[in-house]
Amino acid sequence: MSLLSELNALALGLFIISTIAMTVTRQIGACIQIFVVQSLLLAASAFLLGASTPSWHLIALGCVTVIGKAISIPWLLRALVPSEIHRTRELSQTIDAPTALLAALGLTLLGYAFGAHIVGAAPNLSSGNVSMGIAALLVGLLLLAVRIEAVPQLLGILAMENGAFLAGIAIAPDFPLIAELAIAFDVLLLGFIVALLTRAAYRRIGTTEVGGLSALRERIK
Amino acid sequence: MILAIPLLAVLAALWCAIPRAGRAAPAVTVLAAIAVLSLSIRLLWTLSGGGTLTVIRGWVELNSLAALLLTLIALVYATAALFSWGYLASDATSESRIRLYHANFNLFAFSMLSIPMLNEIGLVWIFVELTSLLSILLVSFAISADALEAAWKYMVLTLLGATIAVLGVLVLYWALHATGSTEFTWDGLHAAAARMPHALLGFAFVLLLVGYGAKIGLVPLHTWLPDAHSQAPSPVCAMLSGIETSVILYVVLRLRNVFAGDPSLHVGAWFVVLGLISVGAAALLLTQTQDYKRLFAFSTVEHMGIILTAAGLLTPAGDVAAVWQLLAHSATKSLCFYAAGVTLIATGTRDIAAIRGLLGTSRFAAAALLFGALAIGGAPPFAVFLSELAILRAGLLAHAYVLVALLAFFIVVAFFGLLWHVTNMVAGPPESEPRRRRIPLTCAWALLLAALPVVILGVWLPQGLAQALESAARVLGAA
């Protein structure tokens, strides 16, 4: 095992830990910071794979990730979302932290097993990326289900996307760059729109606990 | 010339974004949409016999199916632009908000117009995500608590779907790569499908079906759809229900044959089962709802299920019927939401129980609503009647008798559900003193124009269009 792949394995381990940490961190500001760490670890994995392949596509993707997710998303959230929300501690999650942690660990194992099963066909691959990518996708889904505040829900979607790309850099290293750039643009637009929506919700209905909104549904007569 | 189709929408959006251009924004949008519509019809005329038009090799290529879809999008874009004009004016919306609405509306149209033109699967995914992103703020346009809730649910579930789908796209690329090909286009995928590793193909299929299925509103991933399609302004609902869902379904239908070659994936069975569950659940939910915009939204879930079921037959007759239904549904559903829009203007409420004797309050709104319900329910002599008949016939030809029986039963349940609610609203004496509000002229015109194809296609399928349907179904390419 070369040094680069060992470093990549370290980045993958830290990546999944940061994803799980986002699920149980109550303070929203801290949650954003952990998301930055997660994005930087995705970029690190892209750089390491890019250096060992070598592939300019992956280096470029790493740069796009740093600019788009580690710098721009937190900046957008700070600029557009009222500062009170950043200091909020989210107390009313749908399930408590220990249960969420246990569920996250279970999902990680599931993702790991499934990733290993899928990679069986193509042994030359960084199989850890696929396993941890799928695991992060599942834990991100859990984050989305557990949290009811707007900002953590957005971070759940972005964490899932990071997971998809963590697998993506291993399985499709020469994916057309134009698509990668456009994806980065999509992420910025997403951050911008969600920040606007969160701000509108805060001003109009006085809460950003969007998971608790349930006025719209069928009422059985 | 072809690239002008999406670019016109972008130019219109830029124009509307200019602060001084405020008052002209609705007119500019309507003009752009009419130009897009005429270009699309010309393109459909050229491509109706079959063949491919290459604009940028490997990236932008068009065939008859794409041209048909472009025409549908352009048709709803044009009528919705016209409807928006009067609809926003009737609501006393401020000039700057009207400007922003139109800028966003044009960009949303741009994202949808691009999808049929694109040939590269990665880019198609990006534009599918863009359709969500560019419509979120249109759904929340009213900035009420309900609209914000609907927009949030819409955002979370459709982007969740998009994130799952992106992994599907990457796995599909991986599978393609394993065959030695790098041509990540519709044709490239079809050519290489038989040689792709089985495990990867299956994984990609599940991810793409779940991911895009969430965006189409397939049960049980449909929960956002009635919320978003009832809270958005009516012309936006027409775009969301009439064409956005159809455009994403088009992507799924084109992906179908990449997977259908592998018999162990049971692609046809998946389509039929998911389709029937959606049709059945939507038909039952439709009878329970108390909001007439949600009524039409559930009807969209129902129709997406019907089209998916027809495509699941994997026969040429099923494909022709599926494309036909796609066409009939888009044309009719936009009309239904315009009818809902004028009813809302006339009565000020979306509550079915609160509206009685609409015929006395606004004869025009009552007629439109009844017409829309009959047409989308599948009554003769309207377009949906013929396309649904074609689907049932295709099912009989494929000897899928249980499927035909279930489908027919659910269609009848939905028909009576729709009619029950609408006749309750239309008939009888008005319960309270009506607050009469005039229906804006542009809204009335948009409604009448949208009704034209619904009536014409119900009694006469022009030769050129029939030919386009046949060749579009060949693009889907059932064996």
Side-chain angles (χ1 to χ4, degrees), chain B residues 445-475:
Chain B
W445 271 108
L447 228 157
L448 292 175
L449 288 174
L452 274 181
V454 177
V455 175
I456 292 174
L457 294 179
V459 289
W460 174 57
L461 193 63
Q463 185 65 33
L465 195 58
Q467 207 182 359
L469 279 179
E470 293 276 349
S471 73
R474 273 200 300 279
V475 172

Side-chain angles (χ1 to χ4, degrees), chain B residues 262-344:
Chain B
D262 186 343
S264 66
L265 288 180
H266 304 292
V267 171
W270 274 97
F271 274 34
V272 167
V273 170
L274 282 178
L276 282 177
I277 291 175
S278 293
V279 179
L284 294 177
L285 284 166
L286 192 146
T287 58
Q288 292 292 335
T289 191
Q290 295 171 7
D291 175 325
Y292 57 84
K293 282 178 86 177
R294 293 177 79 88
L295 187 70
F296 291 127
F298 280 121
S299 151
T300 300
V301 177
E302 182 216 346
H303 281 270
M304 291 301 116
I306 294 175
I307 299 169
L308 200 69
T309 311
L313 291 171
L314 302 177
T315 61
D319 280 0
V320 173
V323 178
W324 195 353
Q325 175 81 359
L326 203 70
L327 175 93
H329 171 254
S330 288
T332 314
K333 189 49 67 63
S334 55
L335 169 80
C336 289
F337 276 106
Y338 302 145
V342 293
T343 308
L344 188 60

Side-chain angles (χ1 to χ4, degrees), chain B residues 4 27 69 90 98 104 153 197 203 228 253 286 294 312 332 356 373-374 447-448 451:
Chain B
L69 210 68
S90 79
I98 289 183
N104 198 344
K153 286 185 186 166
F203 189 36
L253 294 187
L286 192 146
R294 293 177 79 88
T332 314
R356 291 289 175 265
L374 281 169
L447 228 157
L448 292 175

